[in-house]
Amino acid sequence: MDEDNPVYKDISGVLCTKDGQLVLYPEERTAVSYLVPEGITSFGPAAFQNYNLKKLTLGPDVETLGEYALFHTGLDKLVINSYNLQVGYNSIKTCKNVIAHAGSPAAAAAAEAGCPVEELPACASHVPGGTASVTKQATMEEDGMMTDHCKVCNAPSETAIPKVASVEMTKDEFEYTGSPVEWEVVVKDADGKIYK
């Protein structure tokens, strides 16, 4: 594959897009296991058409399996390390065993497809970057709270948001000149961090 190709790239013989989609795993490949490389976030429709492959491991970056993505395989084991993986129509129907996080969309899709599902153990060390939400806003009087979920197993963790120590404007007087006036609001939290 030409390195200057604007759309596609070759990752160890597997056709992928430069924006992270696995397009096609070679049908003639004889390997019995495959670990999806870091940076791959989705599988295209019918991406795998290989009956030699017996074990496929998806990392936490994989977010989407296209329709029929794994339908034409004889997978004995599919390991899904991504809690929020969205599974396309008939993507995993032919997998003989799916290992996924309990309560995940992938575990539910596997059960619905009639695949046996084993529970994946919780992470040894959580990976931030899953869904995050502010559960209590910080004010001038008290700290706030943010809940972040592990990108791999969706385990929640809470982080305090320091209360606001000061709010200042870089200009407090304005004179109309007909031109835009540049100014900023500067917020400093109780830990001394500045937000503009």
Side-chain angles (χ1 to χ4, degrees):
M1 168 95 27
D2 186 353
E3 288 182 15
D4 294 329
N5 187 305
V7 179
Y8 297 104
K9 65 181 177 179
D10 179 311
I11 301 178
S12 302
V14 177
L15 180 64
C16 301
T17 63
K18 290 190 173 181
D19 65 357
Q21 183 180 72
L22 190 150
V23 178
L24 186 63
Y25 182 89
E27 185 177 353
E28 63 280 353
R29 200 167 206 172
T30 58
V32 293
S33 68
Y34 182 65
L35 171 63
V36 176
E38 202 172 288
I40 296 298
T41 59
S42 65
F43 288 8
F48 282 78
Q49 298 186 30
N50 181 305
Y51 289 93
N52 295 319
L53 195 61
K54 298 302 175 193
K55 180 182 178 185
L56 177 63
T57 303
L58 312 183
D61 292 341
V62 182
E63 300 168 348
T64 309
L65 293 182
E67 293 184 351
Y68 297 96
L70 306 175
F71 190 77
H72 299 286
T73 66
L75 286 177
D76 290 331
K77 189 178 286 189
L78 172 62
V79 181
I80 302 172
N81 286 299
S82 172
Y83 185 87
N84 293 310
L85 179 73
Q86 298 302 310
V87 179
Y89 180 74
N90 271 343
S91 284
I92 58 176
K93 188 172 186 147
T94 60
C95 298
K96 295 179 182 123
N97 189 22
V98 175
I99 301 171
H101 294 286
S104 69
E112 187 177 311
C115 302
V117 181
E118 288 181 41
E119 186 175 326
L120 193 65
C123 300
S125 59
H126 297 299
V127 179
T131 56
S133 59
V134 175
T135 53
K136 179 182 174 189
Q137 291 187 351
T139 65
M140 302 271 303
E141 290 78 35
E142 60 184 3
D143 290 344
M145 190 63 66
M146 180 177 84
T147 302
D148 189 12
H149 290 83
C150 174
K151 186 176 178 181
V152 177
C153 71
N154 205 42
S157 63
E158 290 190 330
T159 306
I161 302 170
K163 68 182 179 180
V164 178
S166 66
V167 179
E168 297 176 4
M169 293 175 46
T170 55
K171 280 192 172 188
D172 57 3
E173 291 184 19
F174 300 94
E175 182 179 319
Y176 179 73
T177 63
S179 298
V181 177
E182 292 187 22
W183 59 279
E184 293 179 329
V185 174
V186 179
V187 177
K188 185 186 285 187
D189 69 21
D191 290 345
K193 187 172 180 181
I194 295 175
Y195 304 88
K196 293 184 179 183

